[in-house]
Amino acid sequence: MAVAVVKSRALTGMDAPEVVVEAHLANGLPAFTLVGLPETEVKEARDRVRAAIQNARFEFPARRITVNLAPADLPKESGRFDLPIALAILAASGQIPSTRLAQAEFAGELALTGELRPVRGALAMALATRVSGRTLVLPQHSALEAALASGIDVRAAGSLLEVCAWLAGQGELSLPDPAQAPEAPDYPDFADVKGQSATKRALEVAAAGGHSALLSGPPGTGKSMLAARFPGILPAMGDNEALEAAAVQSLNGGFRLDQWRRRPFRAPHHTASGVALVGGGGNPRPGEISLAHHGVLFLDELPEFSRQVLEVLREPLETGHITISRAARQADFPARFQLIAAMNPCPCGYLGHPTQACRDTPDQIARYRARISGPLLDRIDIQISVPALTEGELMAAQVGESSAVIRARVEAARARQMQRQGKPNAALGTQEIDLHCPLDTAGTSLLKQAITHLNLSARAYHRVLKLARSVADLAGSATITPAHLAEAIQYRRGAA
C-alpha cells in the first residue's frame, strides 16, 4: 500500500479539530517531507519518527516519503503527531495492517526508543473524539486524564510497538482507570485563622453567591491566609465543572489526577504581564484567569500590578469568558473565576493601624489607591477592611469555625440559588435581578439613601441587590429584608 491515512487531533483554543495524517511512499531518492503548515516541533518529528521506527525493530522505508497533515490551513504544533505519522508510514509500507486505523484516533510524542510520552490537551481531544465515536489511543499518563470524560473508549499505550501489536490483533491496549483521584480535596482550614470574624463572614457571603472580594488591611492581618483558605468553603465541584476546569488546565499540560475535583487556586505574582493573565501567544493558550476557571484568582498586593494588566480583568469579570484575537485566528477560553484581591491601605501599609503610625502623605496615599481604576473597583462586589489583630485575639487559644462547617452553609445557600434560578447570584442578569431580588418599602427607602450618599453607579446598584440576595440565601430567607440589604451595602463601602 503506497498511501495510508491515520486520524489525529490538533488544539485550537478549547477545540480539538480533526487532523488527517496522510503518508505517501514514492520511488526516487530517499527523502522525508512534512507538509500541512507544521510548526517547528512537528517538523522535528522526522528525526524522532525515524529513530522510533528503527528501534521498534521495523524498517524505515528508503523511499521518497511525503506526509501531509490536513487541513492544510490549520497550524499544527507540539509532538502529538509523532505517533500518527509513524503509524501512517508503517501502514503505507505494508509493515502493519491498516484495517483498524479508520476506527481509531492517535496522539502521542515518541521518544527515540519508541516509547510514548504524554501530550497536552488530552481532555479536549477526548471530548472531541466522543462526538466522532472512535477509539482514542494515547500515552499512559494522557489516557488516564482522557478517561475522566465519560462515554469514550480510551486506550493507553506505552510504546509504538504496543500500538502496532494492537493494530495487528496480536495484543491488547489497557483501559485506563482514573480511580486514583482523591474523592475529597484537602484544602487549608479556616479554623487556622484567629479572629477576623467580619472578614470571614464577608468571604462566606462571597462563596455563597460567587462574588468577587477585595481585602484591604495592614501587613500581617491574615489577608493572604484567608484567601488561600477560600477555595475550601466553596461548594464541591460537580462533574461538568470538574471536567471543564481540568480541560483548561490540560491545555497547558498542568493538570494532574490529584487535582481532580479540586477548585483551582491561581496566585500570579504582581510582575505578571497582561498576556500571562488573559492568555495568548502565536498558538493561543489560556492565561491565569482561564486556569482559574470554576476556582479562585488571588491577586496579592493589587496596586503593585501594572494598571494596564489590571484593566484586562474588566471584561472577563462581567462575561465569564475571554476571546483572544490574532491576525490568523481567534481562540475562546472560559474564565468564570472568583476574584479575591488583597492590598494595603497605603504604601507603608499602616494607615489606621492602632499602634503603628502611617508615614505617608495624603498625596502618596491618593496616588497609591489611584493605581486601581474606578471601573475595576466598581466590578468588585465586596470591599472590606481587614483590621489588625488585638493582643487578646492573637494570644487566644480558641479555634474558629472549620471550613467544613462554613462550606455546609454555603452549599445550602447555593442549592437554594440553583433551585430558584439555575445559576449563582453573581451571574444574574438585569431582568433576573428584578424577578428574584425584590425589595419591600423599607428596603427600597434604604437603598435610595445608599445610592445618594455612596454615589452608587447602576452597576453597583445591581451588585448590591445580588449581594443582598446572597445574604438572604445564607439566612434561609425567601425575601430580602432591610437587615440583609444593610449588610450588603456595608460591603460596598468597607475598603473606603
Side-chain angles (χ1 to χ4, degrees), residues 209-287:
H211 305 284
S212 53
L214 171 62
L215 311 180
S216 174
T221 55
K223 302 185 295 295
S224 301
M225 196 174 181
L226 286 163
R229 283 151 179 75
F230 182 73
I233 66 172
L234 292 175
M237 296 186 82
D239 290 340
N240 289 337
E241 284 186 334
L243 197 58
E244 288 179 14
V248 176
Q249 294 171 44
S250 174
L251 296 179
N252 275 8
F255 175 72
R256 299 191 306 272
L257 280 176
D258 58 4
Q259 296 174 334
W260 178 243
R261 294 186 181 277
R262 184 183 180 90
R263 293 278 181 183
F265 181 80
R266 308 293 298 189
H269 192 259
H270 63 259
T271 56
S273 66
V275 172
L277 234 59
V278 302
N283 291 301
R285 293 195 188 183

Side-chain angles (χ1 to χ4, degrees), residues 323-378:
T323 300
I324 300 172
S325 298
R326 295 293 180 263
R329 76 199 78 159
Q330 278 189 339
D332 290 313
F333 295 107
R336 192 161 295 284
F337 60 93
Q338 281 191 251
L339 174 65
I340 304 296
M343 62 177 286
N344 295 325
C346 63
C348 76
Y350 293 104
L351 180 66
H353 195 280
T355 59
Q356 299 200 45
C358 175
R359 304 186 303 268
D360 302 310
T361 66
D363 285 345
Q364 288 175 321
I365 296 173
R367 284 196 300 270
Y368 179 75
R369 294 186 175 181
R371 295 178 187 176
I372 308 171
S373 69
L376 177 60
L377 278 176
D378 205 36

Side-chain angles (χ1 to χ4, degrees), residues 111-132:
L112 299 183
T113 59
E115 295 180 351
L116 286 173
R117 290 173 174 158
V119 294
R120 296 186 297 105
L123 265 175
M125 287 189 288
L127 295 174
T129 305
R130 182 165 60 184
V131 178
S132 70

